[in-house]
Amino acid sequence: MARRPAYDQMMRNVAAANAHLGMVLVGDTGSGDIEHSLKGLDSLRRKVASQLPDYEGVVEDVLADVKDLHRYSSATEPANYTAAAEGAVQHLSDQNAEFIKFNHTWRHPVYKGSNAVFKPSVPVAATDPEVRAFQNDGLVRDTAHTIAAREKDPTDVEPPIPVTTLEVQPRGLDAPCEFQMHTPGNLKVKDKLHLPYELQRSGMLEKKFGADAKEYVRATDYVMASMYQGRSDIVPEHLDRLDALTKSLPVGKVVNGPASIPEPKPEALAQVQRILYAMESLQNQQPLQRRNSNQSLYEQAMEAANRPAVTRSNSAPGEISVHTPPAVPAQHHAAAPGPTPAGR
């Protein structure tokens, strides 16, 4: 939180340097915090919890490797996209930013975009009030005291939680920052990719289908790839120059992927589409719950895989086929969502 204002300003400077090419920051109103520029706490908790086994249970090591606590997205029209990407890299390099990763996946059939992770060189005052407030936060102190007391109490039936000592030191702001670069058309597709992407990384496909999960993962890839079809407003021009820019960075990687995703078995595709329909319906019924932190959303949606569905042929090119589930007993349904716009 203490870094956020400085990082927001840094990224506004990147966009301003490329404003003549039409680059804009997503979620920037020009004042206050840039929307979604700080990773949400629920998202951070999920990421730490899922990666703890890989770091032998050491929370600090996981946190030290989180590269998207600060995250930004830009949008530039396809004709000027490559020039804006070149300008952004040049601007950040001139400001002594250290690139940790730079990938572009514009030729990949499932996910398209450019993703940069870098360490900025941005100073912060050692007297930052939010840093000092966090150091003196009563909840942090009380929680540490409670955990320590539990470890010493042999009558506690719950397994002990290791004590974590957290020290916040005012310092130069060199924490990593993620910067995704998109075209406006690609941002529209990216929004639709959210639910199938979350379904894949939730692990629910593997949980439900076991040894057969690969076919359902491929079906999910096929659904995501289909969302790009029939659109000419997505891929930037001059991809050869973007290739050269990516390869010019020591950490750059051009990700091509397969030419296309083979069509999956019809039953796998139908089940995946029913699950996605159920996820979208549940999300519409639970608008106040974050879909990327609501594990029960996936579990409830999995129940839809056992229900037959009727496909309507009113989907626009590149969109998921719309499914109408059959009538089921009333207790299985919450209040029905509002009318669905055509083409969804």
Side-chain angles (χ1 to χ4, degrees), residues 21-26 73-82 84 106 112-113 180-192 227-228 231-237:
L21 296 169
M23 174 184 277
V24 296
L25 286 180
V26 178
S73 294
S74 68
T76 311
E77 292 293 342
N80 293 330
Y81 177 95
T82 297
W106 288 104
K112 301 180 186 295
Q180 295 184 8
M181 288 177 275
H182 296 281
T183 60
N186 192 47
L187 278 175
K188 295 177 182 178
V189 174
K190 185 173 180 287
D191 183 61
K192 294 191 297 179
M227 295 178 183
Y228 292 104
R231 301 196 66 136
S232 58
D233 60 338
I234 291 178
V235 179
E237 298 178 12

Side-chain angles (χ1 to χ4, degrees), residues 54-91:
D54 298 330
Y55 290 81
E56 299 181 350
V58 182
V59 175
E60 293 90 341
D61 289 350
V62 182
L63 289 172
D65 204 30
V66 174
K67 296 179 174 62
D68 63 344
L69 279 175
H70 302 274
R71 58 244 290 241
Y72 299 87
S73 294
S74 68
T76 311
E77 292 293 342
N80 293 330
Y81 177 95
T82 297
E86 292 168 337
V89 169
Q90 185 61 54
H91 178 90

